Amino acid sequence: MFNDFLFGSDCQLVFDLFNLDGILGDRFAANGAIQPYFDVDRRRYRFRLYNPGPSRWYEFALFDGSNFVPFWQISTDGNLLPEAVQVNSVRLATAERVDIIVDFGKTKASRLYLVNRLEQVNGRGPTGKVLNPGFPIIQLNIGSAAPDYS
């Protein structure tokens, strides 16, 4: 679950109820943690990416520090796709979700970053500009090979 939070000078969360354009945070979080990391083995993982809102849009991609790493999208907000589709990124508006499969055994990198590549300067929606490489949200530390029972 992905959010962005806005903190005031007193390090408390700020939410302006009178901002009718929507509010954007200055810190990205995954499952409520700011700058999280996740240790993975060199095998396939299924992830559900969910954007509960209220204003931020995301274009998620995996970045190894030099290149974007492809992955498989297996669902949209509606349901499972008829077959998996290899993609380099997935876009999520507010209240949308997707499921993806990442094969960490196929990369030579020891670390990947899940990044948001979509520029958004206000709560009205994205500007349309795709950032390179984007803002890192989760650091994925890749360990040793492991059995893959999928």
Side-chain angles (χ1 to χ4, degrees):
M1 186 165 73
F2 297 91
N3 298 93
D4 57 328
F5 297 113
L6 181 63
F7 291 94
S9 59
D10 59 355
C11 297
Q12 298 298 309
L13 284 175
V14 173
F15 191 83
D16 183 359
L17 295 174
F18 300 103
N19 183 349
L20 301 178
D21 286 339
I23 191 165
L24 295 180
D26 57 1
R27 298 287 183 268
F28 289 108
N31 293 337
I34 297 172
Q35 295 181 316
Y37 67 91
F38 186 56
D39 296 329
V40 297
D41 294 322
R42 289 191 180 276
R43 64 176 184 84
R44 286 178 283 201
Y45 284 79
R46 177 181 177 171
F47 295 103
R48 173 164 288 159
L49 309 177
Y50 172 57
N51 177 11
S55 303
R56 176 74 64 182
W57 288 49
Y58 295 92
E59 181 152 341
F60 290 112
L62 291 171
F63 187 64
D64 69 4
S66 303
N67 301 298
F68 291 99
V69 176
F71 52 91
W72 295 91
Q73 181 179 353
I74 62 169
S75 79
T76 64
D77 195 51
N79 281 311
L80 290 173
L81 297 171
E83 59 185 55
V85 179
Q86 191 172 33
V87 296
N88 288 320
S89 67
V90 291
R91 187 172 288 195
L92 287 178
T94 56
E96 288 185 336
R97 67 171 168 82
V98 296
D99 290 273
I100 63 171
I101 303 289
V102 179
D103 190 347
F104 294 102
K106 299 253 189 226
T107 181
K108 295 183 185 341
S110 62
R111 180 174 296 134
L112 293 178
Y113 296 92
L114 183 71
V115 298
N116 179 21
R117 298 191 65 199
L118 202 54
E119 180 184 69
Q120 188 171 349
V121 296
N122 61 42
R124 292 182 177 186
T127 64
K129 181 179 179 185
V130 177
L131 304 172
N132 191 19
F135 295 101
I137 298 177
I138 300 176
Q139 178 179 299
L140 299 156
N141 301 315
I142 304 170
S144 57
D148 189 342
Y149 302 109
S150 60

